[in-house]
Amino acid sequence: TAVFGNSNLKIVNIDNYDLRLESYFKNGDDASISFYYKNFKNHIELINSGGVTWQNVDKSRIYGIELEGKKVITKNLDFRANLTLSKSETEYIRTRFEIDGGVKNYIPLDTVKRDMFGQAPYVLNAMMTYTSDSSGFTATVSYNVQGPRLVIVSDLKELPNIYEMPRHMVDIKFSKRLGRHFNVSLTIRDLFNTP
């Protein structure tokens, strides 16, 4: 696939609004809920219009809720998780990309509304951690999954948008303190080699 740069890209402007409520408990547990809204102008997206390039889009927005918490199971074992649910939308003018005499031209076709580039409708992270302060040993198992994410946007009606589908990722990490200044660790990423 031919890849073209775009020297006309503009810097994205973002209006960001958040409301967060948190609660902390004496036993070390905590919980929070966040509501957010983000309004983007000139969001940069990867566009396929016969060749791949980057392009600003007129308007994008995303809003949602995030739940987060920590549960202390024993003195050495805790569980943490967060879940984000979001809705995104992009509105832009679909163009046809042409090069004429070495000059890039974008010819307007129609107005499109669709999911925002790079934004998953949900993200779930969870982590179980065992810590032994006396021996300086830590073991962590983590899990991550995110919803279908638009990764290449088609600027042509006959070409489909390309999505990265959900992958259930499990990672494991062991860490051991060696003296006061050193640490050694072993990390196993994507334990199940998820396609």
Side-chain angles (χ1 to χ4, degrees), residues 10-27:
K10 300 172 189 164
I11 294 175
V12 64
N13 292 312
I14 306 169
D15 296 321
N16 186 26
Y17 304 93
D18 293 277
L19 174 65
R20 182 176 174 92
L21 305 170
E22 302 175 330
S23 185
Y24 297 90
F25 304 94
K26 290 181 181 178
N27 65 353

Side-chain angles (χ1 to χ4, degrees), residues 129-144:
T129 303
Y130 172 83
T131 305
S132 172
D133 292 333
S134 58
S135 65
F137 176 76
T138 302
T140 302
V141 177
S142 60
Y143 169 77
N144 171 271

Side-chain angles (χ1 to χ4, degrees), residues 52-108:
V52 176
T53 189
W54 291 263
Q55 182 175 312
N56 293 105
V57 291
D58 304 326
K59 295 186 286 186
S60 296
R61 67 183 179 134
I62 184 169
Y63 57 91
I65 184 172
E66 181 177 17
L67 306 169
E68 189 174 357
K70 173 186 169 186
K71 175 66 180 164
V72 176
I73 299 168
T74 69
K75 177 184 170 188
N76 302 97
L77 188 66
D78 65 55
F79 175 76
R80 300 168 195 255
N82 73 12
L83 171 66
T84 303
L85 302 171
S86 58
K87 173 72 176 155
S88 68
E89 182 181 81
T90 290
E91 182 178 326
Y92 74 104
I93 297 172
R94 187 194 310 260
T95 60
R96 186 173 72 244
F97 173 63
E98 290 183 354
I99 296 179
D100 184 16
V103 177
K104 292 181 275 186
N105 294 311
Y106 296 92
I107 298 159

Side-chain angles (χ1 to χ4, degrees), residues 105-163:
N105 294 311
Y106 296 92
I107 298 159
L109 299 174
D110 57 7
T111 299
V112 175
K113 286 186 179 182
R114 56 154 171 76
D115 295 338
M116 187 175 171
F117 171 83
Q119 297 298 320
Y122 63 87
V123 177
L124 173 64
N125 296 296
M127 180 169 52
M128 183 83 74
T129 303
Y130 172 83
T131 305
S132 172
D133 292 333
S134 58
S135 65
F137 176 76
T138 302
T140 302
V141 177
S142 60
Y143 169 77
N144 171 271
V145 65
Q146 61 182 348
R149 215 166 47 101
L150 183 56
V151 292
I152 300 179
V153 177
S154 174
D155 220 11
L156 304 172
K157 288 183 179 180
E158 57 272 13
L159 292 177
N161 292 327
I162 298 174
Y163 284 82

